[in-house]
Amino acid sequence: MIGLTADQIAAEIETFSDRLKQGARTLSEVGEIETGVSSREAVYQEDKLTLYRYQPRVEKPHAVPLLIVYALVNRPYMMDLQEDRSMIRGLLDSGLEVYLIDWGYPDAGDRTLTLVDYVERYIGHCVDVLCDRHGVDAINLLGVC
């Protein structure tokens, strides 16, 4: 803010404050937004992890399933926000058999987990489940962060 006067700085702060107040009012008026619009069922659980299978939207989905591994600290419903804003819906409509890992909410009990636990144990077990369910030796994997 080089070259600004004290009055200009005060005006900028006041404008910023007004925008924050308006944003808070807008957020308080939004109400509930439906998320997770695609039908799904839990097919495997381990500790806090839940593996979901999304209901196919084509008569004969692709034989090799897709496993979406979502970020540990983000919420996976972002992949399926609304019918017209859903990556999952697009994948289903293109004929894929879609699964997604929801890691649940971390807490102090997770402090001893390592990357090896997440990759070799949790993701590895989910891959095994899908290979067994679909009678395949390998699956497709999509990592999202």
Side-chain angles (χ1 to χ4, degrees):
M1 293 196 169
I2 297 174
L4 295 178
T5 67
D7 289 340
Q8 289 171 319
I9 293 171
E12 287 287 327
I13 291 172
E14 185 176 343
T15 299
F16 180 72
S17 176
D18 290 342
R19 288 181 181 161
L20 281 176
K21 289 175 189 171
Q22 179 58 43
R25 277 193 297 273
T26 300
L27 285 174
S28 69
E29 296 167 1
V30 168
E32 287 293 315
I33 297 174
E34 183 180 344
T35 60
V37 295
S38 301
S39 297
R40 68 181 187 178
E41 65 175 322
V43 295
Y44 175 75
Q45 291 187 303
E46 181 178 352
D47 300 330
K48 293 181 183 101
L49 174 148
T50 302
L51 176 63
Y52 289 104
R53 175 185 178 262
Y54 286 86
Q55 185 65 40
R57 292 177 50 89
V58 297
E59 191 170 321
K60 189 171 180 181
H62 193 275
V64 178
L66 171 68
L67 174 60
I68 299 173
V69 180
Y70 206 74
L72 289 170
V73 295
N74 296 331
R75 300 308 309 143
Y77 63 77
M78 296 300 293
M79 302 283 296
D80 194 33
L81 273 178
Q82 297 166 318
E83 288 185 22
D84 61 338
R85 295 180 180 173
S86 172
M87 183 172 174
I88 288 176
R89 178 73 52 104
L91 294 168
L92 293 168
D93 287 345
S94 71
L96 294 175
E97 180 85 40
V98 179
Y99 293 80
L100 179 138
I101 293 176
D102 183 341
W103 298 104
Y105 292 97
D107 61 25
D110 299 317
R111 70 183 173 279
T112 61
L113 294 175
T114 66
L115 191 57
V116 171
D117 292 313
Y118 287 105
V119 174
E120 292 185 9
R121 181 169 40 145
Y122 292 128
I123 296 174
H125 290 170
C126 289
V127 170
D128 291 343
V129 166
L130 296 185
C131 287
D132 289 346
R133 281 179 68 102
H134 291 271
V136 295
D137 294 327
I139 65 164
N140 293 310
L141 184 70
L142 172 63
V144 178
C145 181

